[in-house]
Amino acid sequence: MIKYREAVPSDYKEIALIHAASWKKHYKGILPDSCLDDNLESDRLEIWKNRFAENNPNQNVILAEDEGKTIGFACTYLHHKSGHGSLLDNLHVLATHQGKSIGLTLMQKAFDWSKAHAPDENLFLTVLSENELAKGFYYKIGGTLEEEYLEEFPKGNSILVQRISWTQRPSL
């Protein structure tokens, strides 16, 4: 049975490894290989360690667990500096657990949290324009395309992304 809970700082290693594994699986052929190299895991570990060390009250990380093992997570930030609302910065579910509505549930929990703390803000995310699988999922659960633009990515790369938003709770 899948259980959901708020992450704590000691969860950063599992989150980072899922994050890296997801990038390697879904961004291969989209991002340059230099972004997906052997340093990806250490980079994600550093990022997640720092995110939890900041103790940002506008950040919420929700984990999905199966029999005590972390299998996915969502990270949301209220009042994003872009002015577009609350940012769903990360949504990743292990490939072995995709297709079981875990991503949808994580998104719903992120939406509910953001609306509880910033009711006038939409939830939005950016997705790589070439990531057809993710875009298909986001549109299927009610996302609306807001814009497509070039975004700076790690290691000095620019890549085409789409900003997708939700005014209503994501659902099938």
Side-chain angles (χ1 to χ4, degrees):
M1 178 173 172
I2 308 301
K3 294 183 180 180
Y4 299 87
R5 68 171 175 86
E6 287 195 19
V8 296
S10 61
D11 294 317
Y12 85 92
K13 289 179 183 175
E14 290 179 349
I15 292 168
L17 294 177
I18 290 171
H19 195 172
S22 181
W23 273 31
K24 284 185 175 186
K25 177 173 177 48
H26 297 287
Y27 296 170
K28 186 167 182 61
I30 298 174
L31 291 180
D33 289 342
S34 63
C35 290
L36 305 173
D37 63 15
D38 293 337
N39 296 324
L40 181 60
E41 285 86 0
S42 61
D43 177 62
R44 297 295 100 184
L45 283 165
E46 185 70 21
I47 285 171
W48 284 102
K49 183 177 181 181
N50 290 338
R51 283 184 176 186
F52 280 108
E54 290 172 3
N55 198 24
N56 183 345
N58 289 327
Q59 174 186 286
N60 180 254
V61 181
I62 303 165
L63 300 183
E65 296 179 323
D66 188 9
E67 297 182 12
K69 181 183 185 301
T70 302
I71 56 162
F73 71 96
C75 177
T76 309
Y77 289 96
L78 301 175
H79 321 300
H80 189 259
K81 64 185 176 189
S82 68
H84 298 299
S86 297
L87 171 65
L88 179 61
D89 190 47
N90 298 102
L91 175 67
H92 298 282
V93 177
L94 290 175
T96 55
H97 288 76
Q98 290 177 1
K100 301 177 182 178
S101 295
I102 296 165
L104 173 60
T105 302
L106 285 166
M107 283 202 67
Q108 290 172 333
K109 290 182 177 297
F111 183 89
D112 294 347
W113 179 82
S114 67
K115 285 298 186 182
H117 293 87
D120 295 331
E121 293 187 0
N122 291 341
L123 181 68
F124 79 97
L125 56 75
T126 58
V127 60
L128 302 182
S129 293
E130 291 184 53
N131 190 343
E132 297 296 335
L133 184 64
K135 289 187 327 187
F137 170 69
Y138 299 140
Y139 294 131
K140 183 178 178 180
I141 62 171
T144 301
L145 174 64
E146 299 293 340
E147 66 178 324
E148 187 170 54
Y149 61 94
L150 279 175
E151 183 174 281
E152 291 299 313
F153 222 75
K155 300 189 180 185
N157 296 289
S158 293
I159 192 151
L160 198 59
V161 298
Q162 293 184 1
R163 180 170 54 87
I164 300 172
S165 70
W166 288 262
T167 57
Q168 301 293 319
R169 192 174 198 251
S171 64
L172 290 173

